[in-house]
Amino acid sequence: MDIGKRRWRWAFTLLAILLGIASRASGAPEQSLVERIEALQAGYPVQVLGDPILARQTLQRFYENRGYRLAWVRESRRQALADAIERLPRDGLNPADYHGELLQELVRRPEATLSEELIADRDLLFTDAFLLAGSHLADGKVNPESIHAEWTLTGRKTDIVPLLSRALDTGTLAQTLDDLRPRNADYLKLVQARERLSRLLGQPWLPIPDGPSIRPGDTDTRLPVIHQRLIALEDLSASASTASDLYDGELEAALPDFQARHGLEPDGIIGRQTLDALNRMPVERIRQIDASLERWRWLPRSLGDTYVLVNIAGFRLQMVKKGREVLHSRVIVGRPYRQTPVFSDRIRYLVFNPTWTVPRKLMVEDQLPEIRRDPGYLDRLGIEVFEGWGADRRKVDPRSVDWAALSKNHFPYQLVQGPGPQNALGRIKFMFPNRYDVYLHDTPGRYLFGRQERTFSSGCIRVEKPFELADQLLANGMDWSRQRIDVLVATGETTTVVLPLPIPIHIQYWTAWVDEQGRLQFRDDIYHRDGRLLNELRHSALADGQLPTPVVVSHASTAERRIHKTH
């Protein structure tokens, strides 16, 4: 080929590229996009550059709204999204689930080296990445109903499509994704704690050997390593000495704090449980944080101006007004085989001096064996026996009942405990009617609040400070005082008080959180729920590489489909 022909060929190629760019800039529909959207509409899986398109319906709607025009024509927009996706680990999300590596490769590839079809493929990938990431940040990646069968909160379903359109127009892609995260301060503090803990990844973390318990004043060869571990975990000052085999000084002050924030008895004794907590790998703690972050994303954008929050795994209750905690209390939750459910509702009324109608399951599984063993059981606890239900029920003498002949399939009675100091509900209960028959209440078993792990109930939540909680609830626009509450309780009469404005209550399950003092707290996974959630959270449809056939793939060349390997 002579020089003249070669020049004409290069000129023609350059002209074609320029005409293609001009066509895309003019707003004309992109045929390659149309073909792929048609495949999605027909129900076919679409795979682009080796990755499946997952945000199928929202992606179709996005391109329909913009007349099938390319969206990611500006390099700055693509770079902004690729960088934002790389920052997702701080929220416990994996960039690989959002085409992370492929986006970075496409950002680095010169525009002039891409075919028209590959540019369309790139557009789909960037759109899919934003829609997926935005949805997961706003509403969570995992369907909570797949983890908690009892979940009843109607989760918000954020419409990401108009947000993406506006972000592309205004160049605010990173800010838009950031705004989709929960704005609750507790979520943001947990994100920051995760970032700090992530710095320990890759550092040596050899297990501290078992041995005799170490008490203040003891000497032990393990103490230098324990010093170093507590410094790494920020429980001990970085300037603290790590050479001493003696348990004294700063270590003696730091150990109880470490124990307390891990849900252990803060006795300062380095025993088996404390060593287990010290030996827990940073990656394990980060996974706990990731599970908690995902659970935060399941919650409403706003918990309410005033609300009650119960953390089952943390055995704690908080009441918050206008962003400020006004009450915290220890609680007792359900046993592992009678777990307290996760749900949100509204506290609607309070009952003072309540009666307790024993739930049928408890009657046949718990009370019936006790009655058979102890004839005076019912009288001692003030429990009356009724035959039938509703207005037609009648009181019967418990001595006339053949308790030995009863069973779970034959139990035509109700057991009702009257008001009094022995009542299982104590002197007050907080009602938010729900299908689990779960509520908050007082309890006569006050000594159980002194235990570190408090799984003793049959599903309801026993509150250590019930009257303080009642005082806060009734102070919300009502003419009540603590003195008036005490007078009402002293009458012994069952009284219902309806709240003029129901107060939101959120019963949740977090094994990691940051407390009001900024300390990162961890608790045992008492119901073994984190593992299943983390498995779902780590699951990646992109990594599976398995799609049902037929599969519509990119029309780009083999070399282009391997761009991330060859560039």
Side-chain angles (χ1 to χ4, degrees):
M1 182 183 297
D2 60 33
I3 295 176
K5 290 181 178 180
R6 187 176 302 166
R7 286 176 176 171
W8 275 108
R9 182 168 182 176
W10 278 110
F12 179 80
T13 301
L14 179 60
L15 178 62
I17 292 173
L18 292 174
L19 287 174
I21 294 173
S23 175
R24 291 193 290 274
S26 70
E30 179 68 38
Q31 184 58 35
S32 296
L33 277 178
V34 173
E35 292 175 3
R36 286 151 178 75
I37 301 302
E38 286 176 347
L40 289 170
Q41 290 172 332
Y44 296 137
V46 172
Q47 198 175 60
V48 173
L49 299 172
D51 276 5
I53 297 298
L54 299 177
R56 300 169 60 86
Q57 294 181 346
T58 50
L59 185 140
Q60 293 173 48
R61 184 157 53 90
F62 172 75
Y63 282 107
E64 287 169 1
N65 290 349
R66 61 184 292 108
Y68 301 97
R69 291 177 292 111
L70 293 172
W72 300 88
V73 293
R74 297 189 185 183
E75 181 182 355
S76 61
R77 305 293 195 257
R78 298 192 299 272
Q79 185 69 65
L81 179 62
D83 292 344
I85 295 297
E86 285 300 300
R87 293 192 293 270
L88 285 179
R90 68 176 184 165
D91 292 276
L93 298 174
N94 186 354
D97 292 336
Y98 312 98
H99 316 292
E101 182 180 351
L102 196 49
L103 298 187
Q104 291 289 350
E105 292 290 346
L106 286 167
V107 163
R108 291 193 292 267
R109 183 71 177 260
E111 185 82 4
T113 66
L114 303 182
S115 68
E116 191 171 299
E117 290 174 338
L118 187 54
I119 288 174
D121 288 337
R122 180 185 66 185
D123 217 76
L124 285 175
L125 283 173
F126 275 84
T127 300
D128 193 53
F130 185 96
L131 295 175
L132 285 174
S135 175
H136 292 173
L137 285 169
D139 303 317
K141 177 185 175 184
V142 179
N143 180 358
E145 293 180 359
S146 69
I147 304 300
H148 302 287
E150 75 282 356
W151 182 271
T152 59
L153 173 67
T154 302
R156 64 188 191 280
K157 293 297 180 185
T158 308
D159 189 357
I160 308 296
V161 169
L163 299 179
L164 172 56
S165 297
R166 186 161 57 248
L168 283 166
D169 290 341
T170 58
T172 55
L173 290 155
Q175 185 61 51
T176 300
L177 280 180
D178 189 60
D179 289 344
L180 285 169
R181 295 176 170 87
R183 305 313 300 170
N184 189 285
D186 291 322
Y187 180 89
L188 300 177
K189 287 191 290 186
L190 204 51
V191 167
Q192 293 167 0
R194 188 192 192 279
E195 288 184 313
R196 292 197 305 272
L197 196 57
S198 295
R199 298 174 191 143
L200 300 179
L201 294 175
Q203 293 189 20
W205 206 266
L206 297 176
I208 303 168
D210 289 334
S213 295
I214 311 173
R215 291 172 167 79
D218 288 351
T219 57
D220 194 289
T221 56
R222 295 171 291 174
L223 285 171
V225 180
I226 292 173
H227 277 90
Q228 294 168 7
R229 187 66 47 86
L230 290 171
I231 290 172
L233 294 172
E234 300 181 359
D235 290 283
L236 198 56
S237 168
S239 61
S241 172
T242 61
S244 176
D245 287 350
L246 178 64
Y247 184 178
D248 66 354
E250 290 177 289
L251 181 59
E252 192 171 348
L255 227 299
D257 288 341
F258 171 85
Q259 291 171 321
R261 72 180 189 87
H262 287 81
L264 304 173
E265 187 69 39
D267 55 14
I269 300 172
I270 308 174
R272 181 181 56 81
Q273 288 184 314
T274 300
L275 281 177
D276 286 346
L278 286 166
N279 281 328
R280 195 70 67 88
M281 299 286 288
V283 67
E284 296 178 76
R285 294 305 191 188
I286 288 173
R287 286 170 183 160
Q288 281 186 262
I289 293 175
D290 290 348
S292 291
L293 289 171
E294 177 70 0
R295 289 187 172 105
W296 269 110
R297 292 190 285 266
W298 294 342
L299 285 169
R301 196 77 173 170
S302 171
L303 301 182
D305 182 55
T306 296
Y307 61 90
V308 174
L309 182 64
V310 176
N311 180 4
I312 299 169
F315 309 110
R316 66 198 297 261
L317 173 148
Q318 298 169 274
M319 184 167 179
V320 176
K321 289 185 178 180
K322 296 181 179 179
R324 184 176 68 88
E325 181 186 88
V326 295
L327 173 70
H328 68 271
S329 173
R330 290 182 286 188
V331 297
I332 292 169
V333 300
R335 300 178 182 93
Y337 60 91
R338 286 186 183 156
Q339 298 181 9
T340 298
V342 170
F343 66 105
S344 291
D345 212 306
R346 291 179 179 269
I347 301 174
R348 289 171 168 79
Y349 62 94
L350 283 60
V351 181
F352 294 94
N353 299 312
T355 61
W356 180 44
T357 301
V358 184
R360 179 175 176 78
K361 185 175 182 179
L362 299 189
M363 284 194 296
V364 298
E365 293 184 3
D366 295 0
Q367 307 286 2
L368 183 56
E370 289 289 345
I371 296 168
R372 287 170 175 167
R373 282 194 295 267
D374 180 4
Y377 175 80
L378 295 175
D379 287 338
R380 189 171 64 256
L381 293 181
I383 297 177
E384 297 179 324
V385 182
F386 293 86
E387 186 174 20
W389 286 262
D392 297 330
R393 75 178 187 177
R394 65 182 183 85
K395 185 177 177 181
V396 301
D397 186 341
R399 289 169 294 187
S400 68
V401 177
D402 184 3
W403 298 103
L406 301 180
S407 67
K408 65 178 181 180
N409 296 320
H410 175 61
F411 199 100
Y413 300 104
Q414 278 188 315
L415 303 180
V416 180
Q417 187 179 33
Q422 298 185 90
N423 188 283
L425 306 182
R427 297 290 194 174
I428 183 173
K429 65 178 180 179
F430 307 83
M431 298 302 296
F432 36 100
N434 56 84
R435 63 190 179 98
Y436 315 112
D437 199 24
V438 164
Y439 42 88
L440 308 178
H441 64 83
D442 182 20
T443 176
R446 313 296 300 173
Y447 68 97
L448 292 175
F449 288 110
R451 305 284 183 86
Q452 290 299 118
E453 185 170 301
R454 296 184 290 276
T455 52
F456 302 114
S457 84
S458 296
C460 285
I461 300 161
R462 306 175 193 171
V463 183
E464 184 184 26
K465 300 177 181 178
F467 292 101
E468 290 86 342
L469 178 58
D471 194 19
Q472 289 290 342
L473 290 170
L474 294 174
N476 197 40
M478 299 183 72
D479 184 22
W480 280 82
S481 65
R482 179 60 186 270
Q483 183 180 7
R484 185 179 176 187
I485 292 173
D486 292 341
V487 170
L488 181 57
V489 170
T491 67
E493 296 180 2
T494 301
T495 306
T496 297
V497 179
V498 178
L499 298 178
L501 183 65
I503 302 299
I505 178 169
H506 306 282
I507 303 174
Q508 298 302 309
Y509 186 91
W510 290 298
T511 61
W513 73 93
V514 178
D515 66 17
E516 294 70 36
Q517 289 74 44
R519 297 173 302 186
L520 180 57
Q521 299 275 343
F522 292 106
R523 294 296 184 271
D524 288 341
D525 183 11
I526 54 173
Y527 293 163
H528 304 292
R529 291 177 175 176
D530 277 1
R532 185 176 175 187
L533 172 55
L534 288 167
N535 285 338
E536 292 289 328
L537 197 57
R538 290 196 295 264
H539 173 77
S540 171
L542 298 181
D544 287 346
Q546 295 181 350
L547 290 172
T549 55
V551 177
V552 178
V553 299
S554 161
H555 296 298
S557 69
T558 302
E560 288 171 330
R561 291 201 301 271
R562 293 175 180 168
I563 183 173
H564 59 290
K565 295 181 179 178
T566 59
H567 176 60

